Structures are given as C-alpha cells and as structure tokens.
Amino acid sequence: MTATSIKVQYDIKDTQLAASGKQRIEWAGREMPVLAQIRDRFAEEKPLAGIRLAACCHVTTETANLAIALKAGGADAVLIASNPLSTQDDVAASLVVDHGIPVYAIKGEDNDTYHRHVQTALDHRPNIIIDDGSDVVATLIKERQEQLSEIIGTTEETTTGIVRLRAMFKDGVLSFPAMNVNDAETKHFFDNRYGTGQSTLDGIIRATNVLLAGKAVVVVGYGWCAKGVAMRARGLGANVIVTEINPVKAIEAAMDGFRVMPMAEAAPLGDLFVTLTGNKHVIRGEHFEAMKDGAMVCNSGHFDIEIDLVALKEMTSEVRTVRSFTEEYKLKSGKSVIVLGEGRLINLAAAEGHPSAVMDMSFANQALACEYLVKHQGSLAPGLHSIPTEVDQEIASLKLKAMGIGIDTLTAEQQIYMNSWTVGT
Ligand code: ADE
C-alpha cells in the first residue's frame, strides 16, 4: 500500500497497522451475525444512499463492522473517536486503507486533537450524526447553527449522551429527532450490563493483574453498567460494596445481596473503587484521604469527571507510572492511591471495550436507527424517540436464531386469554 493508493483523508497513527486491524475486524465480525445480516441487506437496498453521516464512537473492531455496514448501505461516512484513549490504532488504519472510510482518531490524542476531530466531523456537513456521549451534537448546537437545517437526526449510544440530549430538549435547543439507542432493550440489558461487567473487569485485570478474589470492591452507582460490574466482581470472589444516591436502586443492590453504604463509609474499606454513575466527582478529596494505602480507583462511566483527579493531584507529592495505565499517586500524607487508565473508561483504555457479541445488538440498533431516520425524514418531531418495539424485537429474534436458541410461541387460546379482561377467578 502506498500513500497515493489511499483515497480518503484521515488523521490516524499509522496506516502500516492496517493488516492487523483487518484481521481483528474480521474476527469481531464472526460474533456479530445480526449486524452482518443488516449489512448484507443494506448492500442490496442502499437505504442510506446520498446521506452524509458523521459517527463519533469508540474506534474498535466492533465499530469498524458498523462503519462497514453503513458504507454498504450507501452512507458517505466519516468516523472520529468518542474518547481520547479508546481508539484501536490498527482498526483505524484498516478502515482507511482497506475500506476507504475516513477516520480521525489516534489512541492517546490530546484534548485539542479530540476537539479538532469533532470539528472535522462537522466539516463533513452530516445529515445524520451517530454520537456516543453527545459531543458532536453539543458542538453542532453551540457552534454550527447554520448547519442545523441539513440535519435529519442523530442516534445516541450511551446513557450520558441521553442525559445531555434531555437537557438540550428541556432548554429548547434540540431542533431535530434523536433516536435513543441506549434505552432499546436489546442495547442496555446486554451492552450496559454484561458488556460493561465483563470489559471493565478485563480492563482492571489487564492494567494491574491483581487477584479480585477476597478484595473489597466498591462499585459506585447501581445503574445497568454498575449492576454488571458488581455481578461479575462477585463472580470472581470479590466482596462487593455498592454506593448509590437513588433509594430504589439502593434497595435493589441490597436485595441483590450487596452491602450498601455511603461513600464516606466505603472509602476506608475498599481495595478497588469503580465509578459508573455518569456524575461528577463521586470520589473526592475527603474520600482519597480516608482510603487504605495502595487503594486502586478507576472509572467506567463515559467521561473522566467521576474521580476528582484535580483534588487528588493537589494532595499528591509525586506521581509515577508503575505499569501501563497504572499510576501511583504518593500522597503528602504518606499513603498511595493508584489510578487506573487516567480516570477514563478503563474497559476501553486498558482493554478492548465490550465484546463483539453484545455490540452486535447495540450496533444493529444504530444501523436500523439511521435507516429509520431516513425513512421518516420530515415526520419525526424534535426530541428523543425510542427505538420502535418491532425493531427491538426483530433484533432479539435474529440474535436468538444466531445463538441457536428456540423459544415458544403463544397458542391461539393463550393469545385470546392475554387480550381478554373478562376471565378472572
Ligand atoms: N463501547 C463499549 N464497548 C465498545 C466497543 N467494543 N466498541 C464500541 N463502543 C463500545
């Protein structure tokens, strides 16, 4: 491959990495049969023909399979990173070299580069934005009002992005439809729970190689992602403590068998802390002060705001890297706190994100949400829209079939019973 044989623009680490990326994208594709069926249909029907699309996602082998499906559907797509540390550079290279998809993403890019890439995505003048965390949509609304008339809609991947879109709608600034991929059942039940559960522990173990059996693991929050982490940490023998601010979720955690307490009580008990709240500074100065010597902290929520690293730095006399993605903060008090993955998504910083088998359903939702936006162009009101139940059910049926699992169907008698109110005791 020569530089002149590459037909698209890009800003990636190294095009020479393409061969490894290609192999890994194909490997992931083996676990993504639902997306593959959509890709094959898209290739025939071209539902995205003429659509300019900007995707802001973690640049992984799974996202690559999505990008390939969108291109097969006729989209003129560019891809940028949704996090400075989550890019897989070989995947970015293969998308550029083997698939002719423009990618702007480099693992470890600084914040300026990240924001420059967001601008590049908007320079593409997208009709559809696939967002993961809502940075592209927020920038569009803040800085590119003149492009709003070109937008058909957006699709949002993650809880944090949905929270931001709701805030935009409440402020009256969201003037186009936004498909809520996160809340589809075939997305959050599996990606948020089993995906985050496995990949977060994978990231922690790859970064530290610590034994989790017998450790006190404090899971901060008890949404779907946190539930997955608590469940899998328990499975590895950890003694799991949950902290929450929502009383219902706190009861759920307690009845799931976890100890529940405020962070002030959990701080001195934990060997490892994992934040998954979507909120800011859930671990703060007073908590670091109370932690055991050598306690480890990491984050698996979307943004790197959950752990107050500024406060930690102020309390620290020296920081040293002890392993990849593992930094020891020597506190002035004499103790150490270990920070994993710079407080960014540990599952994507130190591991490879969620396994392909769950991203298959998440990205099937993304592809079908784009198609839905195009089909219903002009008729969807501004604001958030659920993925239609039929689409969710269809994805579940295709996944089950691919997993070789059969299920029952209602008998005629049962169908009548389920639609009747006259039969009681
Ligand atoms: N978010 C979490 N895991 C991911 C993955 N493997 N690919 C893309 N986005 C993700």
Side-chain angles (χ1 to χ4, degrees):
M1 165 251 322
T2 62
T4 48
S5 66
I6 300 174
K7 300 275 181 292
V8 294
Q9 305 257 301
Y10 56 86
D11 186 15
I12 61 173
K13 177 141 188 232
D14 183 359
T15 52
Q16 302 289 336
L17 300 171
S20 144
K22 182 168 188 284
Q23 213 173 30
R24 293 200 316 109
I25 292 167
E26 286 168 8
W27 174 252
R30 294 159 77 126
E31 290 265 53
M32 304 183 83
V34 179
L35 185 63
Q37 285 186 53
I38 295 169
R39 179 201 61 212
D40 292 347
R41 178 172 67 75
F42 274 18
E44 275 180 25
E45 297 176 7
K46 302 282 176 205
L48 305 178
I51 300 294
R52 285 190 308 274
L53 195 151
C56 175
C57 300
H58 302 293
V59 179
T60 63
T61 51
E62 292 74 27
T63 299
N65 278 284
L66 171 63
I68 293 164
L70 297 168
K71 187 169 180 192
D76 168 10
V78 299
L79 175 62
I80 65 162
S82 60
N83 183 293
L85 263 192
S86 61
T87 297
Q88 297 170 7
D89 290 316
D90 58 344
V91 169
S94 175
L95 283 174
V96 168
V97 172
D98 302 313
H99 298 279
I101 297 174
V103 181
Y104 301 83
I106 304 166
K107 188 169 178 95
E109 65 195 22
D110 59 23
N111 282 349
D112 286 350
T113 308
Y114 175 82
H115 290 295
R116 183 160 42 79
H117 289 161
V118 171
Q119 295 294 344
T120 307
L122 290 170
D123 290 344
H124 188 57
R125 301 199 80 95
N127 310 118
I128 292 181
I129 296 168
I130 296 182
D131 228 346
D132 186 340
S134 210
D135 272 348
V136 178
V137 168
T139 308
L140 169 80
I141 291 174
K142 280 192 265 186
E143 300 174 24
R144 303 269 188 126
Q145 287 280 316
E146 70 285 3
Q147 284 181 227
L148 286 175
S149 60
E150 297 169 13
I151 301 286
I152 297 172
T154 184
T155 67
E156 174 52 54
E157 172 75 4
T158 201
T159 318
T160 292
I162 297 300
V163 170
R164 290 179 91 187
L165 287 166
R166 283 211 178 93
M168 288 175 206
F169 188 66
K170 191 161 149 271
D171 280 354
V173 296
L174 185 63
S175 59
F176 46 83
M179 299 303 294
N180 184 345
V181 168
N182 182 68
D183 289 355
E185 292 190 345
T186 47
K187 201 278 184 181
H188 71 276
F189 284 164
F190 307 101
D191 166 319
N192 300 31
R193 180 171 35 176
Y194 304 115
T196 310
Q198 178 166 323
S199 63
T200 299
L201 295 186
D202 185 13
I204 292 165
I205 292 166
R206 289 198 207 191
T208 64
N209 198 27
V210 293
L211 180 74
L212 288 174
K215 291 267 187 322
V217 174
V218 179
V219 175
V220 188
Y222 205 62
W224 287 105
C225 296
K227 280 184 183 138
V229 171
M231 173 174 60
R232 293 302 184 230
R234 173 159 64 192
L236 284 173
N239 170 0
V240 177
I241 297 170
V242 172
T243 70
E244 243 306 333
I245 47 98
N246 178 317
V248 176
K249 290 183 181 166
I251 298 173
E252 235 186 320
M255 293 204 180
D256 283 345
F258 300 112
R259 281 194 290 165
V260 180
M261 62 185 78
M263 181 54 89
E265 284 174 35
L269 304 180
D271 298 304
L272 167 68
F273 296 77
V274 189
T275 58
L276 304 105
T277 67
N279 213 334
K280 196 173 171 179
H281 295 173
V282 295
I283 300 185
R284 301 181 288 276
E286 71 263 30
H287 304 133
F288 295 124
E289 207 60 77
M291 284 178 190
K292 293 182 198 173
D293 183 27
M296 293 181 289
V297 296
C298 67
N299 168 52
S300 214
H302 186 78
F303 286 121
D304 60 340
I305 37 83
E306 305 211 13
I307 301 169
D308 188 354
L309 288 178
V310 174
L312 181 61
K313 279 178 192 144
E314 277 165 12
M315 299 161 66
T316 296
S317 54
E318 189 198 338
V319 183
R320 62 184 190 114
T321 301
V322 286
R323 290 168 61 96
S324 300
F325 307 110
T326 306
E327 289 179 315
E328 179 176 26
Y329 284 63
K330 284 248 177 228
L331 304 195
K332 292 172 193 158
S333 66
K335 289 192 288 194
S336 285
V337 171
I338 312 291
V339 177
L340 309 183
E342 300 172 23
R344 296 194 187 275
L345 284 160
I346 189 64
N347 59 339
L348 283 139
E352 294 168 65
H354 303 349
S356 319
V358 288
M359 295 313 296
D360 186 26
M361 289 185 281
S362 308
F363 285 163
N365 274 289
Q366 283 288 3
L368 296 180
C370 291
E371 181 180 39
Y372 185 85
L373 280 172
V374 174
K375 272 195 182 148
H376 295 85
Q377 185 175 353
S379 66
L380 295 171
L384 278 160
H385 292 261
S386 301
I387 299 295
T389 309
E390 316 80 73
V391 173
D392 221 350
Q393 293 281 314
E394 173 68 9
I395 291 171
S397 299
L398 291 174
K399 188 71 181 175
L400 263 185
K401 193 159 173 238
M403 292 167 83
I405 298 173
I407 59 173
D408 288 322
T409 49
L410 293 175
T411 63
E413 184 193 28
Q414 288 168 335
Q415 277 184 35
I416 292 166
Y417 180 77
M418 291 306 285
N419 286 301
S420 135
W421 58 271
T422 54
V423 187
T425 308

